[in-house]
Amino acid sequence: MDWTALWLSLHLAVWTLVLLLPVSILAGRYLAYNTFRAKVLLEALVMLPLVLPPTVFGFYLLVAFGGNSPVGQFWRATFGHQFVFSFEGLVVASVIFNLPFAIQPAQRAFEAISPALREAARCCGMSPLQSILRVELPLAWPGILTGMALTFAHTLGEFGIVLMVGGSIPGETKTIAIAIYDRVQAFDFEAANTMSLVLFGVSLATITTTFWLSGRAGRRLP
Amino acid sequence: MTGLDVVIKARAPIFLDVALSVGQGESLALIGRSGSGKSTLLRAIAGLYAPQGGRVRVASGEWYNSEANVSLPTHRRRVGLVFQSYALFPHLDTLGNVMAALGDGLPRHEKSEKATALLEIVELHRLEHRYPSELSGGQQQRVAIARALAREPEVLLLDEPFSAVDRIARRRLQAQIASLRQRTDVPIILVSHDIDDARRLSDRIAIMEGGRIIQSGAFEDIANHPANAAVGELIALDD
């Protein structure tokens, strides 16, 4: 059992969640309440990681953040190592790759809130921020939570994008999904089985807990 | 004394050219067919809809004046608005819904006491820990009225408050609004398409058609001398 790889995967999933939570709330709410000309295009871009093969997506990320790109050169000049094939690069790739899993459920949750409730909040004297904190977020919370659970579980199981952008550097980019692949390549099925079972258990527990929490939070909602 | 003085002009999405005044403690019923602009007018008074011109003046000052570039956001207008669809917060219980409109200035126990007192007015204090999904339509509407009163509003706006409740709940709500009128001296505007509601609960009636008030006055005066056939027809609908 490669505990370092499991720890790295959990570390990556938590960072992805922390960065995506505010993004999913802001972007989901914006897309839910606003209509503009490029909205369909923007929604399609957000959904793109769902349909693009991870290799294609990973290739473009390598081009965008690789050593020859402005971002890559800036990163190397500032931090002394390249952006791709690093944990930081993996986190950015994971955040982008998980956008649809986090934003879509949040957007649908905000869309489900009746405009009359937002107006009622304002008539109750709540400022726009108070209305978000006291009315919109509690009502949208089950959807946001579902998005976060999907993101967490999906990050733990990411393979293609991790391999393309991160490679397989132990302790830096070698996640549990990569470690399982390595063990299978080496015909070490016992280790592969142990790690697969752990990943299976953690993912199932995450989704089950989230559905339970989301069901509790949403019990009184229409 | 005038408690509410309104001039609203709008071209889109609906035409409005309305001027009305409601005295302190007076109740005005806005009657008209669907699409006549009644609800849009209420929304403009509450600040939920931005008209193209006009003014909204209450006892404490101006909420809106297009010439002076004054337009207070809704949350800074002390307005009590009872929505047709109740619009109760489904994640809060009855007490929480009323407390939500009491602001941040009071300690929690005082807010709770005040909310309970308001729920007593609408006879719902025994159901203060029920959630909206556990209440009937009439009960939800009474919570909505208690919540509207919690803001200590300068104007109380009732947007078709009886349209989604059954006949028994309607009678009870009517009785409670009638009793409420004895307790408060805020101007009340009641929007309805039902002449019976208007007759029971208002001092004056204003008939709206195509975004304009085409006749206003006491019910008997309008019934006896309708300004035109459309008004006569509207009054006759509920006779």
Side-chain angles (χ1 to χ4, degrees), chain B:
Chain B
M1 181 187 168
T2 300
L4 174 67
D5 184 21
V6 177
V7 176
I8 295 289
K9 292 180 190 296
R11 289 178 297 280
I14 188 167
F15 174 83
L16 274 180
D17 186 1
V18 173
L20 60 84
S21 294
V22 188
Q24 293 285 18
E26 189 187 15
S27 170
L28 172 77
L30 281 177
I31 304 290
R33 290 188 173 83
S34 296
S36 59
K38 311 180 297 286
S39 292
T40 309
L41 178 61
L42 283 203
R43 292 169 58 76
I45 294 170
L48 296 171
Y49 162 71
Q52 274 87 56
R55 66 168 189 275
V56 178
R57 191 180 296 149
V58 293
S60 67
E62 274 188 330
W63 283 350
Y64 175 70
N65 186 332
S66 56
E67 286 177 11
N69 239 351
V70 173
S71 182
L72 291 189
T74 300
H75 67 276
R76 290 181 56 203
R77 302 183 187 198
R78 268 184 31 224
V79 60
L81 176 55
V82 175
F83 291 76
Q84 188 176 348
S85 58
Y86 327 126
L88 296 182
F89 305 126
H91 60 298
L92 298 178
D93 63 13
T94 299
L95 191 69
N97 263 280
V98 180
M99 284 172 68
L102 285 169
D104 294 326
L106 294 173
R108 193 174 165 80
H109 69 277
E110 275 183 44
K111 276 168 75 170
S112 175
E113 282 170 16
K114 210 167 172 182
T116 303
L118 287 162
L119 286 169
E120 275 173 24
I121 294 175
V122 293
E123 299 170 24
L124 279 179
H125 50 290
R126 288 195 182 85
L127 304 181
E128 61 182 26
H129 295 302
R130 292 240 184 122
Y131 284 81
S133 59
E134 299 165 335
L135 299 173
S136 70
Q139 288 169 336
Q140 288 190 58
Q141 198 57 296
R142 280 148 64 195
V143 178
I145 291 170
R147 186 178 66 179
L149 293 175
R151 279 220 80 191
E152 295 181 356
E154 291 185 89
V155 177
L156 186 59
L157 307 173
L158 308 169
D159 189 1
E160 308 244 17
F162 314 116
S163 62
V165 299
D166 61 34
R167 185 182 288 268
I168 296 167
R170 185 188 194 96
R171 289 280 174 249
R172 190 166 188 178
L173 268 174
Q174 283 178 341
Q176 286 189 332
I177 290 175
S179 144
L180 189 66
R181 289 190 54 207
Q182 313 298 319
R183 295 168 179 259
T184 178
D185 65 348
V186 297
I188 298 174
I189 299 184
L190 164 74
V191 158
S192 179
H193 57 265
D194 189 307
I195 293 293
D196 183 47
D197 293 341
R199 191 164 39 183
R200 285 168 185 268
L201 298 172
S202 63
D203 303 302
R204 265 190 309 136
I205 288 173
I207 310 281
M208 279 192 77
E209 187 69 51
R212 287 195 168 91
I213 292 177
I214 53 172
Q215 189 172 9
S216 69
F219 171 77
E220 287 74 18
D221 293 341
I222 296 177
N224 292 330
H225 307 285
N228 58 33
V231 174
E233 196 181 319
L234 202 61
I235 293 278
L237 280 177
D238 288 82
D239 276 353

Side-chain angles (χ1 to χ4, degrees), chain A:
Chain A
M1 174 70 199
D2 188 343
W3 291 105
T4 308
L6 177 65
W7 175 244
L8 190 77
S9 285
L10 290 170
H11 203 191
L12 177 65
V14 168
W15 269 109
T16 305
L17 274 195
V18 167
L19 294 173
L20 264 183
L21 181 63
V23 172
S24 69
I25 291 173
L26 292 173
R29 186 175 181 276
Y30 186 81
L31 288 171
Y33 297 158
N34 293 283
T35 308
F36 48 94
R37 197 170 289 178
K39 185 176 175 179
V40 175
L41 178 65
L42 194 60
E43 286 176 322
L45 279 172
V46 167
M47 293 297 285
L48 214 50
L50 270 185
V51 291
L52 268 184
T55 44
V56 174
F57 200 76
F59 170 72
Y60 282 123
L61 285 177
L62 279 178
V63 171
F65 299 129
N68 294 327
S69 71
V71 175
Q73 285 173 353
F74 166 79
W75 192 268
R76 182 182 279 278
T78 311
F79 298 103
H81 62 90
Q82 59 178 345
F83 187 64
V84 292
F85 304 114
S86 71
F87 182 74
E88 293 87 344
L90 210 52
V91 170
V92 170
S94 178
V95 164
I96 297 172
F97 201 56
N98 276 295
L99 283 174
F101 294 95
I103 292 177
Q104 266 280 322
Q107 183 183 346
R108 297 291 167 248
F110 280 112
E111 280 171 351
I113 299 173
S114 159
L117 289 182
R118 289 189 284 142
E119 292 182 347
R122 290 162 66 192
C123 289
C124 283
M126 294 183 207
S127 67
L129 182 63
Q130 287 171 329
S131 169
I132 292 171
L133 295 176
R134 296 177 189 175
V135 176
E136 293 177 38
L137 279 181
L139 292 176
W141 192 239
I144 295 167
L145 202 61
T146 302
M148 290 299 103
L150 289 175
T151 299
F152 188 83
H154 184 241
T155 306
L156 286 183
E158 266 171 14
F159 179 77
I161 193 85
V162 174
L163 200 61
M164 288 292 285
V165 179
S168 176
I169 304 166
E172 182 73 20
T173 61
K174 188 177 178 181
T175 62
I176 190 160
I178 304 287
I180 291 169
Y181 179 72
D182 268 3
R183 288 301 84 210
V184 172
Q185 292 293 91
F187 296 103
D188 182 0
F189 293 130
E190 195 184 330
N193 184 36
T194 308
M195 287 190 281
S196 296
L197 273 176
V198 169
L199 193 55
F200 179 86
V202 171
S203 300
L204 185 65
T206 305
I207 300 282
T208 309
T209 308
T210 307
F211 283 178
W212 178 71
L213 284 173
S214 160
R216 268 172 62 100
R219 199 177 300 158
R220 303 207 183 277
L221 307 183

